[in-house]
Amino acid sequence: MNRLFAAASIVALAASMATTSSFAEEKTAWRLFVSDHAEPVINVVDALTGNKIDTLPLKGPASLYRSASGRTVFAVQGKANAVSAVSTGITFEDHGDHGDIEVTAPKLAGTEIAGTKPSHFVEHGGEFALFFDGEGVARILDEKTALEGGKNIREVKTEAPHHGVAAVYGDYVLSSEPNKEKPDELPVGIRVVDQVGKQVGDIHACPDLHGEATSGKLLAFACATGLLLVRDGDQGPAIEHIPYPADLPAGKSTTLLGGKGLQYFLGNYGADRLALIDPSAKDMFRLVDLPTRRVHFAVDPIRPRFAYVFTEDGQLHQVDIVAGRIAQSVKLTDPYSMDGHWSDPRPRVAVAGARIVVTDPLKGQLHLVDATSFTKTGDIPLAGKPFNIVAVGGSGETHATE
Ligand code: ZN
Ligand code: ZN
């Protein structure tokens, strides 16, 4: 409910309850948050109508992350040394037998977390850990803090600046352990600290640690040698190293995504393969070959059986997680070669309800693919170079109080 109308609505609600039992209406809203490759902005687009809702100013071009609840989008501005929280304006509230959706204007939440070279972002158990490579420091906050100005942020320091990561795990914080001889190289393991910052147990070795994800309660980190899996233990997090099986071709994952609805991890494994990782299976690792090199991949939070991968030949592929193979493909863009700089403008993928949305930075377009038929259904033009994208939304009831 819009705050301005809250008082009026209470009156209206009282009136409506007096006359009839329910005026509940089903409402669906999906918003796309799209950053630009060169400009310091986020464009907010209504995914259902294609209309631009607003353009939010930032300090630098941003990588985007959405919270699990969808209430917050974090804009990590690596070159501008800042992370900004955006209130998406879409909130769900559990009313027991149904869920309510409340839709208000998207806006910068007023929380800007400053620090040198912000990089990896991890949400676990409702807490966000932002890692600042230039300081070797993690700044940790919850969603209330993010949406209400950022007054309650705590820090966990590591021993040196490095390209690292941290994650909250219950009362503990897991953080990457820098390579002491060569801090400019990837970290060598995970250190666990308790609430007062005291180290718990030994360092958990994870050479060339890069890539992390959450699936259900499980947390995973990718190492050159395999995965570190983090579960609930008797005394704090239980951390286990699962080596890549010997029969897997040489390679490693350096980016992980966590399945939603199904517990699995999806990682890269070489330039033209994905690794499907099922922590409960006897054969935990399966590889999916891609026709060309991978540009970007995303899991489907609504249809848990599927994930999507965009390849440099301009195709989007639907990956069947259960069957472990590409099920369908659709051509969307001109080729985007993976030669050149890793951060060149190339497509990114997000899932917005019944649609999969792919940015096409060189054409200034968002391409829409129907998730069921897996066919292209339209485009949304967007000025500039639309690059990183996240989607938030869903369906809920609104009680007819306005
Ligand atoms: Zn309700
Ligand atoms: Zn990284």
Side-chain angles (χ1 to χ4, degrees):
M1 192 188 315
N2 187 312
R3 222 171 261 168
L4 270 177
F5 297 115
S9 297
I10 289 163
V11 176
L13 179 65
S16 74
M17 286 196 303
T19 51
T20 174
S21 59
S22 174
F23 275 141
E25 246 180 76
E26 179 88 2
K27 178 170 182 154
T28 298
W30 279 94
R31 284 177 176 168
L32 307 172
F33 292 78
V34 188
S35 67
D36 192 271
H37 189 265
E39 299 298 320
V41 293
I42 298 176
N43 284 304
V44 188
V45 176
D46 185 321
L48 305 181
T49 64
N51 295 330
K52 187 153 94 179
I53 298 169
D54 204 353
T55 299
L56 306 174
L58 299 173
K59 288 192 165 158
S63 299
L64 303 177
Y65 301 89
R66 54 155 288 179
S67 67
S69 76
R71 292 181 67 195
T72 316
V73 166
F74 288 88
V76 177
Q77 301 145 73
K79 291 199 175 108
N81 296 322
V83 179
S84 304
V86 175
S87 166
T88 64
I90 297 183
T91 306
F92 295 94
E93 196 180 318
D94 184 6
H95 278 193
D97 62 342
H98 68 274
D100 270 27
I101 183 170
E102 182 191 332
V103 181
T104 56
K107 59 172 202 275
L108 288 163
T111 303
E112 187 183 289
I113 303 134
T116 316
K117 286 197 199 166
S119 62
H120 284 229
F121 166 97
V122 177
E123 176 178 8
H124 193 260
E127 289 201 88
F128 311 110
L130 311 165
F131 199 85
F132 292 81
D133 292 354
E135 301 163 74
V137 167
R139 300 199 163 89
I140 295 167
L141 65 163
D142 62 15
E143 191 147 51
K144 190 170 187 303
T145 301
L147 291 172
E148 292 176 3
K151 295 284 180 295
N152 188 20
I153 300 175
R154 61 192 170 113
E155 286 190 353
V156 170
K157 290 190 168 63
T158 65
E159 290 189 342
H162 67 285
H163 183 48
V165 63
V168 176
Y169 199 94
D171 293 336
Y172 301 85
V173 175
L174 281 52
S175 60
S176 51
E177 182 70 7
N179 182 325
K180 281 200 186 60
E181 289 79 47
K182 299 173 190 158
D184 54 336
E185 295 196 353
L186 287 171
V188 297
I190 286 288
R191 177 194 292 253
V192 182
V193 297
D194 66 14
Q195 272 175 316
V196 295
K198 194 168 153 284
Q199 184 176 335
V200 179
D202 294 331
I203 305 284
H204 301 268
C206 180
D208 292 344
L209 186 160
H210 192 271
E212 68 289 323
T214 296
S215 184
K217 285 188 78 181
L218 262 185
L219 181 62
F221 296 95
C223 325
T225 48
L227 292 193
L228 281 189
L229 286 183
V230 188
R231 305 183 152 84
D232 287 338
D234 295 337
Q235 286 156 330
I239 303 181
E240 185 187 7
H241 180 271
I242 312 284
Y244 293 125
D247 59 354
L248 233 52
K252 63 174 180 174
S253 290
T254 55
T255 301
L256 290 180
L257 299 176
K260 311 267 183 271
L262 272 180
Q263 194 161 66
Y264 73 93
F265 295 100
L266 185 63
N268 58 332
Y269 197 87
D272 57 3
R273 272 190 298 248
L274 294 178
L276 266 173
I277 304 152
D278 177 352
S280 67
K282 199 163 137 280
D283 290 323
M284 211 188 269
F285 295 86
R286 283 180 295 167
L287 297 182
V288 180
D289 286 319
L290 306 176
T292 57
R293 289 178 291 182
R294 153 198 52 89
V295 175
H296 190 242
F297 56 114
V299 303
D300 191 325
I302 298 154
R303 291 152 293 265
R305 185 174 180 142
F306 298 114
Y308 308 102
V309 55
F310 189 86
T311 49
E312 62 181 346
D313 55 0
Q315 291 195 88
L316 181 73
H317 310 277
Q318 180 194 55
V319 181
D320 184 326
I321 299 299
V322 178
R325 60 178 182 88
I326 290 176
Q328 304 188 73
S329 303
V330 58
K331 176 102 161 84
L332 294 179
T333 73
D334 290 341
Y336 272 91
S337 171
M338 287 305 287
D339 293 337
H341 198 274
W342 65 270
S343 67
D344 283 345
R346 297 187 188 92
R348 298 287 183 264
V349 182
V351 180
R355 294 177 174 84
I356 305 147
V357 188
V358 177
T359 61
D360 189 346
L362 297 183
K363 286 277 162 65
Q365 299 268 350
L366 310 179
H367 303 300
L368 306 176
V369 171
D370 181 83
T372 308
S373 66
F374 213 69
T375 53
K376 188 177 162 184
T377 54
D379 304 296
I380 300 173
L382 202 56
K385 288 196 174 75
F387 185 40
N388 292 308
I389 181 168
V390 293
V392 303
S395 301
E397 284 189 5
T398 57
H399 302 287
T401 57
E402 55 236 316

